[in-house]
Short mmCIF file of all heavy atoms in Angstrom, two decimals:
data_model
loop_
_atom_site.label_atom_id
_atom_site.label_comp_id
_atom_site.label_asym_id
_atom_site.label_seq_id
_atom_site.Cartn_x
_atom_site.Cartn_y
_atom_site.Cartn_z
N ALA A 12 -3.69 -50.13 57.50
CA ALA A 12 -2.78 -49.00 57.37
C ALA A 12 -3.34 -48.04 56.33
O ALA A 12 -4.12 -48.42 55.47
CB ALA A 12 -1.39 -49.48 56.95
N SER A 17 -0.14 -39.14 52.81
CA SER A 17 -0.83 -37.97 53.37
C SER A 17 -1.37 -37.10 52.27
O SER A 17 -0.69 -36.78 51.30
CB SER A 17 0.16 -37.17 54.22
OG SER A 17 -0.32 -35.88 54.43
N MET A 22 -0.77 -33.18 47.98
CA MET A 22 -1.19 -31.87 47.51
C MET A 22 0.02 -31.01 47.16
O MET A 22 0.03 -30.32 46.14
CB MET A 22 -2.04 -31.18 48.58
CG MET A 22 -2.67 -29.89 48.09
SD MET A 22 -2.86 -28.69 49.40
CE MET A 22 -1.16 -28.22 49.63
N ILE A 26 0.29 -29.50 43.54
CA ILE A 26 -0.36 -28.19 43.56
C ILE A 26 -0.01 -27.35 42.34
O ILE A 26 -0.83 -26.57 41.84
CB ILE A 26 0.00 -27.45 44.86
CG1 ILE A 26 -1.04 -26.38 45.14
CG2 ILE A 26 1.40 -26.87 44.81
CD1 ILE A 26 -0.97 -25.86 46.57
N SER A 28 0.27 -28.40 39.35
CA SER A 28 -0.50 -28.82 38.19
C SER A 28 -1.99 -28.84 38.44
O SER A 28 -2.75 -29.18 37.56
CB SER A 28 -0.04 -30.23 37.77
OG SER A 28 -0.28 -31.15 38.81
N THR A 110 -36.28 -48.35 50.55
CA THR A 110 -35.70 -48.07 51.86
C THR A 110 -34.19 -47.92 51.71
O THR A 110 -33.58 -48.41 50.76
CB THR A 110 -35.99 -49.18 52.88
OG1 THR A 110 -35.44 -50.42 52.40
CG2 THR A 110 -37.49 -49.34 53.11
N ALA A 129 -12.84 -40.77 53.83
CA ALA A 129 -13.45 -42.09 53.92
C ALA A 129 -13.06 -42.89 52.68
O ALA A 129 -12.93 -42.34 51.58
CB ALA A 129 -14.97 -41.99 54.01
N ARG A 130 -12.89 -44.18 52.88
CA ARG A 130 -12.58 -45.10 51.78
C ARG A 130 -13.85 -45.88 51.45
O ARG A 130 -14.38 -46.60 52.32
CB ARG A 130 -11.43 -46.04 52.15
CG ARG A 130 -10.97 -46.94 51.01
CD ARG A 130 -9.69 -47.69 51.41
NE ARG A 130 -9.20 -48.51 50.31
CZ ARG A 130 -9.36 -49.83 50.22
NH1 ARG A 130 -10.00 -50.50 51.19
NH2 ARG A 130 -8.89 -50.50 49.19
N ARG A 132 -16.56 -47.91 48.41
CA ARG A 132 -16.94 -48.45 47.10
C ARG A 132 -18.40 -48.10 46.87
O ARG A 132 -19.26 -48.38 47.71
CB ARG A 132 -16.76 -49.96 47.02
CG ARG A 132 -16.87 -50.48 45.58
CD ARG A 132 -16.76 -51.99 45.50
NE ARG A 132 -18.04 -52.64 45.80
CZ ARG A 132 -18.21 -53.96 45.84
NH1 ARG A 132 -17.18 -54.77 45.64
NH2 ARG A 132 -19.41 -54.47 46.11
N GLN A 152 -30.88 -23.81 64.31
CA GLN A 152 -31.09 -22.38 64.53
C GLN A 152 -30.98 -21.57 63.24
O GLN A 152 -31.77 -20.65 63.01
CB GLN A 152 -30.06 -21.84 65.55
CG GLN A 152 -30.15 -22.45 66.94
CD GLN A 152 -29.53 -23.82 67.03
OE1 GLN A 152 -28.51 -24.08 66.40
NE2 GLN A 152 -30.14 -24.71 67.80
N LEU A 167 -23.67 -39.88 41.11
CA LEU A 167 -24.88 -40.34 40.44
C LEU A 167 -24.63 -41.76 39.93
O LEU A 167 -23.66 -41.99 39.19
CB LEU A 167 -25.23 -39.42 39.28
CG LEU A 167 -25.50 -37.95 39.65
CD1 LEU A 167 -25.82 -37.14 38.41
CD2 LEU A 167 -26.63 -37.86 40.67
N VAL A 178 -19.91 -27.02 47.81
CA VAL A 178 -20.39 -26.35 49.02
C VAL A 178 -21.72 -25.68 48.73
O VAL A 178 -21.98 -25.23 47.60
CB VAL A 178 -19.39 -25.31 49.57
CG1 VAL A 178 -18.11 -25.97 50.06
CG2 VAL A 178 -19.09 -24.22 48.55
N SER A 184 -26.79 -22.29 46.73
CA SER A 184 -27.27 -23.59 47.20
C SER A 184 -28.03 -24.31 46.10
O SER A 184 -28.34 -23.73 45.05
CB SER A 184 -28.18 -23.41 48.41
OG SER A 184 -29.32 -22.63 48.08
N THR A 190 -19.44 -25.97 42.83
CA THR A 190 -19.13 -27.40 42.69
C THR A 190 -18.12 -27.64 41.59
O THR A 190 -17.89 -26.78 40.73
CB THR A 190 -20.43 -28.19 42.39
OG1 THR A 190 -20.15 -29.59 42.43
CG2 THR A 190 -21.00 -27.82 41.03
N PRO A 196 -9.85 -41.61 35.83
CA PRO A 196 -9.27 -42.09 34.57
C PRO A 196 -9.19 -43.61 34.52
O PRO A 196 -8.68 -44.26 35.42
CB PRO A 196 -7.87 -41.46 34.58
CG PRO A 196 -7.55 -41.24 36.02
CD PRO A 196 -8.86 -40.96 36.70
N PHE A 200 -16.01 -46.05 39.90
CA PHE A 200 -16.14 -45.97 41.35
C PHE A 200 -16.96 -47.12 41.94
O PHE A 200 -16.97 -47.29 43.16
CB PHE A 200 -16.76 -44.64 41.75
CG PHE A 200 -15.83 -43.47 41.57
CD1 PHE A 200 -16.05 -42.53 40.57
CD2 PHE A 200 -14.73 -43.31 42.40
CE1 PHE A 200 -15.20 -41.45 40.41
CE2 PHE A 200 -13.87 -42.23 42.25
CZ PHE A 200 -14.10 -41.30 41.26
N ASN A 260 -34.73 -46.59 36.85
CA ASN A 260 -35.43 -47.06 35.66
C ASN A 260 -35.42 -48.58 35.62
O ASN A 260 -34.99 -49.24 36.58
CB ASN A 260 -34.83 -46.45 34.39
CG ASN A 260 -33.36 -46.81 34.19
OD1 ASN A 260 -32.87 -47.80 34.74
ND2 ASN A 260 -32.66 -46.03 33.39
N PHE A 265 -31.88 -53.87 42.36
CA PHE A 265 -31.79 -53.74 43.81
C PHE A 265 -31.67 -55.13 44.42
O PHE A 265 -32.12 -56.11 43.82
CB PHE A 265 -33.06 -53.04 44.35
CG PHE A 265 -33.12 -51.57 44.01
CD1 PHE A 265 -33.75 -51.15 42.85
CD2 PHE A 265 -32.55 -50.63 44.85
CE1 PHE A 265 -33.81 -49.80 42.53
CE2 PHE A 265 -32.60 -49.28 44.55
CZ PHE A 265 -33.24 -48.87 43.38
#
Side-chain angles (χ1 to χ4, degrees):
S17 162
M22 188 212 72
I26 202 165
S28 62
T110 60
R130 185 172 183 258
R132 192 183 82 182
Q152 298 78 38
L167 300 179
V178 294
S184 61
T190 188
F200 288 110
N260 61 21
F265 288 91

